[in-house]
Amino acid sequence: MIDTAMLMAAGLGKRMRPLTATRPKPLVKVAGKALMDHALDRLVAGGIRKVVVNVHYLADTVEAHLQADGRGIEFLMSDERAKLLETGGGLIHARELLGDRPFFCANSDNLWIDGTQETLGMMQRIWDPDRMDALLLLVPLARAHCHSGQGDFHMGPCGQLSRRKAAHVAPFVFTGVQIMSPTLLVDPPAESFSTNIFWNRAIEAGRLFGVSHPGLWFDVGTPRAIPVVEAMLAHG
């Protein structure tokens, strides 16, 4: 059973301004709760007991918030105060803290609600390290609430993923939640870089897979998304 996760919490939150002028994006409140607490609720429900959190912008406030958390989670800080490393660089920087077993990785600015199954448990049942380097939780583009993109991936009948082609629409959006093998975290191309580098390598090897999320998902990237999300949550 996977019991470790990385929670991405180091971004500058530029799209969430002015709310992020005085607080980091993971601590912006939605439905009365900090965004990162919504993510932590789902991680705890999925059996996660150790969470590595990368910090950069207003890092002290994130650390203080986690120190006051009463869920019994072990939090390990991956300190990026000196330089923001982007998602891929952040994973490399946290590599030793994550250990040598597969782990979950989740963005702190997306909010998801379980469908008919507990989401992380569903992903673990599908996860197959013999065939996969990463398993991405996807949502159909038509159900990607508050999301303005054109989709990210096509998914084959066995779950293998391929990229959206330029000037085309893809049927699935990445939710910010994935299982990753630590074997993928090698040969960084630079100090700061995107997780897309790891995904591209996995696609070339035929080892990037996805699963469709049957529940709700919200891209809480801007202030105007917050009242939309809160209204939908209030009405079920």
Side-chain angles (χ1 to χ4, degrees):
M1 180 176 178
I2 299 174
D3 62 2
T4 299
M6 181 157 184
L7 187 61
M8 294 291 188
L12 298 174
K14 292 180 179 180
R15 292 194 303 136
M16 192 60 88
R17 291 175 179 170
L19 298 181
T20 49
T22 57
R23 73 181 67 184
K25 188 175 181 181
L27 297 186
V28 170
K29 288 193 173 183
V30 178
K33 185 184 297 185
L35 273 170
M36 72 184 317
D37 286 337
H38 285 285
L40 288 170
D41 285 347
R42 302 274 67 80
L43 293 176
V44 169
I48 299 301
R49 294 295 174 261
K50 182 176 82 172
V51 181
V52 178
V53 185
N54 64 338
V55 291
H56 174 76
Y57 177 61
L58 299 177
D60 291 348
T61 60
V62 176
E63 290 186 341
H65 182 82
L66 295 175
Q67 287 169 2
D69 187 271
R71 295 169 230 252
I73 306 172
E74 177 188 4
F75 290 109
L76 300 177
M77 298 297 109
S78 183
D79 195 334
E80 297 180 23
R81 285 176 174 86
K83 182 178 182 181
L84 185 60
L85 300 175
E86 300 185 51
T87 53
L91 284 163
I92 290 291
H93 190 68
R95 175 69 178 80
E96 295 304 314
L97 299 175
L98 290 166
D100 295 323
R101 298 178 61 242
F103 60 92
F104 279 98
C105 183
N107 294 344
S108 60
D109 59 351
N110 297 324
L111 194 156
W112 79 95
I113 305 295
D114 290 340
T116 54
Q117 304 178 63
E118 187 275 314
T119 304
L120 302 193
M122 174 191 70
M123 294 180 70
Q124 291 207 58
R125 288 189 290 274
I126 295 170
W127 171 251
D128 182 354
D130 291 334
R131 295 189 302 131
M132 303 173 184
D133 286 333
L135 175 66
L136 278 54
L137 183 68
L138 307 175
V139 67
L141 179 59
R143 292 197 289 108
H145 300 294
C146 305
H147 185 73
S148 59
Q150 296 176 302
D152 302 311
F153 293 101
H154 297 270
M155 183 161 54
C158 295
Q160 278 189 310
L161 299 183
S162 58
R163 291 279 193 185
R164 175 180 67 84
K165 295 180 180 179
H168 287 72
V169 172
F172 290 99
V173 173
F174 176 53
T175 64
V177 182
Q178 61 183 312
I179 297 175
M180 299 188 76
S181 168
T183 60
L184 199 55
L185 308 184
V186 296
D187 300 326
E191 189 176 10
S192 301
F193 65 97
S194 169
T195 308
N196 281 302
I197 297 293
F198 296 139
W199 291 345
N200 289 343
R201 293 174 182 171
I203 288 172
E204 290 175 6
R207 295 180 60 86
L208 186 70
F209 285 75
V211 57
S212 181
H213 177 48
L216 293 175
W217 179 80
F218 305 92
D219 182 350
V220 195
T222 64
R224 63 179 174 272
I226 294 175
V228 177
V229 174
E230 290 178 333
M232 290 192 68
L233 292 177
H235 291 88

